[in-house]
Amino acid sequence: IIEELKEIGPLPSQATLFTCDAVSMYTNIDSSHGPEIIAKWIEDFKEEIPDDFPTDFFIKVLKIIMNSNVFQFDDTYWLQTCGTAMGTSCACAYATLYWAFMARKYIIPKWKQHLPFIRKFIDDKFGIWTGTQEEFQSFTADLDSYCQLKWTTDGLSTSVNFLDLTIYIDKNRNIRTKTFQKECNLHLYIPPHSAHPPGVLKSIVYGNLLRYWHQNTYTTDYIS
């Protein structure tokens, strides 16, 4: 997203930023509606699916997974009766595709004239908005209208926190970024005496410095 934002020139005067967060995304995807939406995705965008993809078998297995998930808590066992099957390898991709279908079919076509840029990572959205405040309220209401999922937003602003980034509009209307860290971040990295290979420890230091370098538009923020 940083590389994409670098390609955006100065924003128009009315442009603002926003973020949205899904409320308990996994547990609020109905286990019967979810597989139906995945099946519609395969049907409506079949040109993106391999010709020999076993659709019927895939949907049948997906329904079994979403409706037969048993998990353990201490010495008890539970059958999950609603929501995405937690702990399964398909959960993240399933939830991502479920909402992506809604956005691709309904949300983006309707609001694209006011959405020059929008990206989502699982249950977090970031976008640039060029419409009015009233239109934005209608847009957020639309987010809640297509399924059980509900979305929260802090509204429109010139500076927002999205994942580990602060994204903001400077005085020249250009997009800038810097590292965002939550106050409760405990920085729980592995200690030097860990049994991990020495290269792992070095890669944590190097990887974070490289990440900070890419995240911060200004060197002063990187140094800080």
Side-chain angles (χ1 to χ4, degrees), residues 203-216 222:
S203 70
I204 291 175
V205 177
Y206 177 80
N208 273 298
L209 288 174
L210 188 64
R211 178 165 65 94
Y212 297 149
W213 179 256
H214 285 302
Q215 287 178 333
N216 292 277
Y222 167 73

Side-chain angles (χ1 to χ4, degrees), residues 46-208:
K46 61 180 64 177
E47 71 278 1
E48 301 173 10
I49 308 296
D51 293 336
D52 59 349
F53 187 76
T55 301
D56 293 340
F57 173 73
F58 174 78
I59 297 301
K60 182 178 181 180
V61 171
L62 186 61
K63 289 179 179 178
I64 293 173
I65 293 171
M66 292 303 152
N67 291 283
S68 308
N69 190 41
V70 176
F71 60 91
Q72 182 180 4
F73 179 72
D74 288 337
D75 60 346
T76 63
Y77 290 85
W78 299 78
L79 172 66
Q80 184 176 339
T81 58
C82 63
T84 303
M86 303 304 293
T88 58
S89 59
C90 68
C92 182
Y94 167 80
T96 299
L97 285 172
Y98 175 80
W99 177 254
F101 181 83
M102 305 294 182
R104 188 172 178 179
K105 290 285 288 188
Y106 308 113
I107 301 296
I108 293 177
K110 181 176 179 179
W111 295 101
K112 61 182 178 181
Q113 72 273 21
H114 297 313
L115 278 174
F117 187 90
I118 186 168
R119 295 292 182 272
K120 183 178 76 71
F121 182 72
I122 307 178
D123 60 347
D124 291 291
K125 284 179 180 289
F126 163 77
I128 299 174
W129 184 259
T130 58
T132 65
Q133 176 69 44
E134 291 73 21
E135 288 169 325
F136 182 72
Q137 292 175 350
S138 297
F139 165 73
T140 55
D142 262 3
L143 294 180
D144 293 341
S145 65
Y146 289 104
C147 57
Q148 289 183 201
L149 281 181
K150 305 301 177 186
W151 296 81
T152 60
T153 178
D154 292 329
L156 299 173
S157 177
T158 57
S159 178
V160 297
N161 296 321
F162 177 66
L163 305 178
D164 59 352
L165 284 177
T166 294
I167 306 172
Y168 62 99
I169 304 173
D170 69 7
K171 61 181 181 180
N172 296 317
R173 305 297 299 172
N174 290 305
I175 293 282
R176 302 296 186 221
T177 62
K178 60 182 179 180
T179 300
F180 171 70
Q181 294 177 331
K182 293 182 178 179
E183 292 183 4
C184 60
N185 188 348
L186 299 179
H187 302 284
L188 298 178
Y189 308 116
I190 63 171
H193 59 265
S194 167
H196 288 80
V200 173
L201 180 65
K202 294 178 181 178
S203 70
I204 291 175
V205 177
Y206 177 80
N208 273 298

Side-chain angles (χ1 to χ4, degrees), residues 30-41:
D30 182 80
S31 54
S32 59
H33 192 228
E36 290 178 8
I37 293 300
I38 301 301
K40 288 182 179 179
W41 178 290

